[in-house]
Amino acid sequence: MASTVDAISIEEATERLIDYRGKTPPKTASGVRLITAKVVKGGQILEEPKEFIAEDFYDEWMRRGLPQELDVLLTTEAPLGETAILRDKTRIALAQRIILLRAKREVVDPLFLFYALQSDFAQSELKARASGTTVLGIKQSELRRVRIPLFSLSAQLKIGSILATYDELIENNQRRIRILEQMARRLYREWFVHFRFPGHENHPRVPSPLGEIPQGWEVRNLECLMVHQIGGGWGKDVADDTYTEPAWVIRGTDIPGARSAQVDSVPYRYHTLSNLRSRRLQAGDIVFEVSGGSKGQPVGRTLLITPELLSAFGGDDVMCASFCKRIQPDQTAYGPEMLYLSFLEGYESGEIEQYQVQSTGISNFKWTEYIANTLRVVPPDSLRKDFQEIVRPLLREVATLGLKSANLRRTRDLLLPRLLSGQIKLEAN
C-alpha cells in the first residue's frame, strides 16, 4: 500500500460484527436462503448451490442480529477473505464461517468497506493474522485488528461509485442471463412436458408409455437421442513425454459458472493425444456430471457447449473431467438444445436424483441405467426446428452476456488495487 494512504482496523470501521460460528442450523428444502462460505466468491453470492432454513425458524436462528441492506459478508475459513455485499433487503440467514460487518458510516462508507476488504493490503492483513496449516482461518479477536485502507469520506464515495458502476453492469447482465435461461426452460416445459405447443388445441392425443401424447410424436429413451457419449479425463498438471497435449478441463463444480462463460476456475492440464482426440469438446456437445456432488447438491448438473463458451478459452482445446460425460446429441432426433433443457428439467423435477448413489461422502450416478430407462417424447422435425430457432439464440446470448461480464470484472479488478493503494488520485477531483 502506498505510504500516503492511511489505515483503520475493522474494529474501528464497523458498528456491528455478527458471527455465527459454532452453530449449525437444521436445513430444509425451501424457506429462507442460508448463505454459506462456499457461495461467497468473487465479490458476489453465487446462485448455486442453494440451501435453506425454515421460515418459522429464521428469527430464532438469527437472534444475534438480522442482516441489513449494504451489510458486508466476509468468509473466515475455507476460503478465507471472500466478500459480498447485500445490495437489497432480501432476507437471508448466515451459516458458519461467515461474518457480517456493518460499516460505521460516519467513518467508512459501506461500499468502500466492501471493496477495501478486497484490496491487496487487507487480504495480506487477513492472511498475516490467520492460523491453521491445512486450512487458514481467523479468530474474531484477530479479525477485529485487521486493517483496511482509509481515505476521506469523499474519496471513499468516489472509489465506491467507480467500482460499483462495474458491479451494477455485471449484475444487470446476470439478471438478463437469469431471464433468458428461464424463458428457454419455460418454453421447453410448455411445449414438451405440458404439450402446449402452437396448434395444440386441435391436435389429438394417443396413448404411450408416458401417458397420452400428441399424435405423430414418438417415445424414445435418452440413449437413442445421442450419437456418442464418453467419460472425460483428468490428465496431469505437468507435461511429460506421454502427457503432451494441453487442454482446459471442465469439472462438475465449474458447470454453473460455465453456463454463462465464467471459466476463471477451470484448470489447465496435460493429456495424452489419444485421450484428448476423443474428448475434445465441440459446439453442440453436452457435459453431464456423473460423480461428485455434495449434500444438498445432487450430481447431474449439465452444460451446453456453445461457440461463445469455447471462445472464452481463447481457442485452446477444452475437455470435461473424468467425473463427467461428453455427450454428442443426435442433431436430427432431438438436438442439443432440447436434450440439454430436458436434462435441466429432469434435474429440477428430481428425475435425475433417483439414479444417484451415495458412497463414502461422494455421490455417484447410475448413468447406463439412467439413459436406458429414461424416456423422452420426440416431436416432429418441423416443431423441433421451430423450437431450436427460438431457443438457440437465447442460450447463446447467455454465454455472450457472460463474456461481457468477464471483461467488466477484469477491468474492475485492474482498477481496484490502483484505487485502493492511492495510485489513482481522487481527492483533487
Side-chain angles (χ1 to χ4, degrees), residues 59-111:
D59 289 337
E60 179 183 346
W61 172 251
M62 296 298 294
R63 61 179 179 267
R64 294 182 187 176
L66 298 179
Q68 298 179 8
E69 188 175 2
L70 295 182
D71 284 346
V72 177
L73 305 183
L74 177 71
T75 61
T76 60
E77 182 183 336
L80 170 65
E82 292 285 351
T83 61
I85 188 166
L86 305 182
R87 298 185 182 274
D88 56 39
K89 297 178 181 179
T90 302
R91 287 206 306 171
I92 60 163
L94 302 180
Q96 297 191 63
R97 309 202 311 273
I98 294 277
I99 279 184
L100 182 148
L101 303 173
R102 186 166 298 151
K104 191 181 292 182
R105 296 196 181 201
E106 65 272 21
V107 179
V108 172
D109 174 68
L111 273 175

Side-chain angles (χ1 to χ4, degrees), residues 116-134:
L117 286 166
Q118 300 175 50
S119 68
D120 293 340
F121 178 73
Q123 289 290 312
S124 296
E125 286 269 314
L126 282 167
K127 290 180 175 62
R129 294 188 177 278
S131 57
T133 52
T134 306

Side-chain angles (χ1 to χ4, degrees), residues 7-17 72 101-110 112-113 116-117 143-144 146-150 156:
I8 187 173
S9 70
I10 286 178
E11 176 81 66
E12 297 168 311
T14 57
E15 67 175 38
R16 192 78 187 273
L17 186 153
V72 177
L101 303 173
R102 186 166 298 151
K104 191 181 292 182
R105 296 196 181 201
E106 65 272 21
V107 179
V108 172
D109 174 68
F112 176 81
L113 174 62
L117 286 166
L143 177 64
R144 290 179 179 274
V146 166
R147 296 177 301 158
I148 62 171
L150 181 66
Q156 290 180 37

Side-chain angles (χ1 to χ4, degrees), residues 248-413:
W248 300 94
V249 184
I250 297 174
R251 305 160 297 178
T253 190
D254 302 315
I255 285 175
R259 287 174 183 160
S260 55
Q262 297 180 43
V263 298
D264 290 345
S265 64
V266 176
Y268 192 67
R269 298 177 65 82
Y270 294 87
H271 314 271
T272 64
L273 179 59
S274 60
N275 199 306
L276 178 58
R277 184 185 293 120
S278 58
R279 292 165 174 82
R280 184 184 290 112
L281 293 172
Q282 299 176 4
D285 287 350
I286 294 171
V287 173
F288 189 105
E289 175 192 39
V290 293
S291 187
S294 63
K295 190 175 181 181
Q297 179 65 71
V299 294
R301 292 178 288 190
T302 51
L303 173 67
L304 177 65
I305 305 301
T306 63
E308 292 76 14
L309 172 57
L310 292 176
S311 74
F313 294 97
D316 294 339
D317 287 332
V318 189
M319 64 189 298
C320 62
S322 50
F323 282 3
C324 297
K325 293 283 186 180
R326 177 203 178 190
I327 300 167
Q328 293 175 280
D330 186 338
Q331 300 275 354
T332 61
Y334 208 61
E337 290 83 10
M338 285 181 63
L339 187 57
Y340 168 66
L341 291 166
S342 85
F343 285 142
L344 294 184
E345 182 71 20
Y347 191 86
E348 187 173 302
S349 69
E351 170 195 85
I352 285 176
E353 194 169 2
Q354 296 175 30
Y355 292 88
Q356 178 174 292
V357 179
Q358 193 76 28
S359 174
T360 62
I362 296 177
S363 297
N364 293 307
F365 191 74
K366 294 189 272 189
W367 170 254
T368 303
E369 185 177 334
Y370 172 63
I371 62 174
N373 296 340
T374 303
L375 304 178
R376 292 287 183 264
V377 180
V378 180
D381 284 349
S382 59
L383 190 63
R384 177 181 60 79
K385 290 176 181 176
D386 288 346
F387 178 80
Q388 188 179 73
E389 286 180 5
I390 297 171
V391 168
R392 179 171 290 176
L394 301 181
L395 297 177
R396 292 185 66 170
E397 180 64 11
V398 166
T400 297
L401 289 169
L403 290 172
K404 291 179 179 178
S405 291
N407 289 332
L408 288 167
R409 286 190 192 93
R410 279 191 286 271
T411 305
R412 178 203 61 194
D413 293 344

Side-chain angles (χ1 to χ4, degrees), residues 148-253:
I148 62 171
L150 181 66
F151 295 78
S152 69
L153 274 174
S154 61
Q156 290 180 37
L157 291 169
K158 290 174 184 175
I159 290 170
S161 176
I162 291 169
L163 297 173
T165 298
Y166 288 91
D167 281 334
E168 287 164 7
L169 290 170
I170 292 167
E171 178 55 31
N172 183 54
N173 285 342
Q174 293 303 113
R175 282 193 294 268
R176 292 173 64 190
I177 284 170
R178 288 191 290 270
I179 290 169
L180 291 168
E181 289 177 333
Q182 289 168 7
M183 288 171 62
R185 295 177 70 168
R186 285 174 182 169
L187 190 64
Y188 175 86
R189 194 175 297 127
E190 280 291 295
W191 285 25
F192 307 120
V193 177
H194 302 305
F195 304 128
R196 292 194 286 258
F197 53 90
H200 70 92
E201 301 89 347
N202 302 315
H203 207 105
R205 303 286 182 93
V206 296
S208 83
L210 292 175
E212 288 197 339
I213 65 172
Q215 189 175 44
W217 294 34
E218 300 178 36
V219 174
R220 300 183 191 174
N221 66 14
L222 286 171
E223 191 170 12
C224 292
L225 305 179
M226 309 171 188
V227 295
H228 186 63
Q229 44 93 11
I230 188 172
W234 187 235
K236 293 184 176 182
D237 58 355
V238 177
D240 62 23
D241 291 342
T242 304
Y243 291 79
T244 58
E245 306 303 309
W248 300 94
V249 184
I250 297 174
R251 305 160 297 178
T253 190

